[in-house]
Amino acid sequence: MNKNLSGINVAVTRPSIYSSFLEQGIRAQKGIPVMLPAIEIVEVDSKETKKRLDCLDATHYIFVSRSAARIGGALILEQGRIMYDSKFYAIGEGTKRELLSLGFKSISLPETGQDSEALLRVPSLQNIAGKKLVVVRGNGGRLILNKGLEERGGIVKNFECYVRKKPIWNAELMNLVNNNQISAW
């Protein structure tokens, strides 16, 4: 039995910033990666982002996605905004790994679940009255976390550091799809 992809087209639908390992893996198996992201994650204009960073001064930084960690975490560190007594939170293991790779230390995770409700159950986010918290996120999305933290008396600011965009596939890629020349997705 042949254990490689021997020249077949394999579509990769993950956002470009997360797909290089798949592209390399497909090539290693002699397949042809066809990059067809279903959504793109794009950093907000850095000048605009840095202006908003100047307004942030918090003791709790909550990262609600891998993208928030990868993009927002790097921008926050670049600006030297982290205080030694700051607390950091990640929505899940992937987000935590991104933060650790940037050099963050001592990151709290929910014990169960990987969503806003799970973050709200983290013990150190229970008694936060008067504390300043920054939710690092993309544009839009749910505000359950913000609302829950504000109900506890937290002073919550969002740091929106990326946007989700619809990708544009060129004619060559569309022809592969329309002519059923993708063997695996």
Side-chain angles (χ1 to χ4, degrees), residues 23-177:
E23 184 177 5
Q24 293 167 5
I26 292 165
R27 287 188 198 289
Q29 293 296 314
K30 298 182 177 40
I32 302 165
V34 179
M35 309 315 284
L36 294 167
I39 192 169
E40 285 293 7
I41 306 294
V42 180
E43 181 179 335
V44 173
D45 178 271
S46 62
K47 288 180 186 174
E48 181 63 31
T49 305
K50 288 175 184 175
K51 281 184 208 171
R52 282 184 292 174
L53 262 176
D54 290 339
C55 300
L56 301 178
D57 181 25
T59 57
H60 296 68
Y61 291 83
I62 304 168
F63 296 85
V64 298
S65 68
R66 286 182 60 200
S67 299
R70 179 178 285 196
I71 297 169
L75 288 167
I76 289 168
L77 288 175
E78 182 182 300
Q79 293 295 302
R81 301 298 304 170
I82 303 303
M83 308 290 276
Y84 288 106
D85 60 348
S86 294
K87 294 183 181 181
F88 309 106
Y89 303 85
I91 200 161
E93 286 292 337
T95 304
K96 181 179 179 177
R97 281 192 302 277
E98 291 286 346
L99 291 170
L100 290 171
S101 74
L102 290 170
F104 284 82
K105 307 272 188 262
S106 186
I107 301 155
S108 297
L109 287 171
E111 288 182 25
T112 59
Q114 294 188 36
D115 56 18
S116 296
E117 293 83 355
L119 276 167
L120 287 168
R121 291 190 298 270
V122 172
S124 55
L125 289 175
Q126 301 308 306
N127 300 311
I128 56 165
K131 304 273 187 197
K132 294 180 181 177
L133 303 100
V134 170
V135 177
V136 184
R137 55 183 285 150
N139 67 316
R142 300 169 62 203
L143 294 174
I144 291 170
L145 180 61
N146 295 55
K147 184 178 177 189
L149 296 169
E150 287 168 351
E151 286 172 355
R152 295 174 187 170
I155 302 162
V156 183
K157 293 182 183 177
N158 286 328
F159 175 50
E160 294 183 347
C161 56
Y162 66 92
V163 295
R164 297 166 197 87
K165 291 192 173 184
K166 178 181 172 185
I168 298 173
W169 299 346
N170 65 34
E172 181 183 345
L173 293 173
M174 289 305 300
N175 283 333
L176 289 173
V177 173

Side-chain angles (χ1 to χ4, degrees), residues 1-8 10 25-32:
M1 181 163 124
N2 189 352
K3 293 192 179 195
N4 66 41
L5 299 173
S6 50
I8 67 170
V10 180
I26 292 165
R27 287 188 198 289
Q29 293 296 314
K30 298 182 177 40
I32 302 165

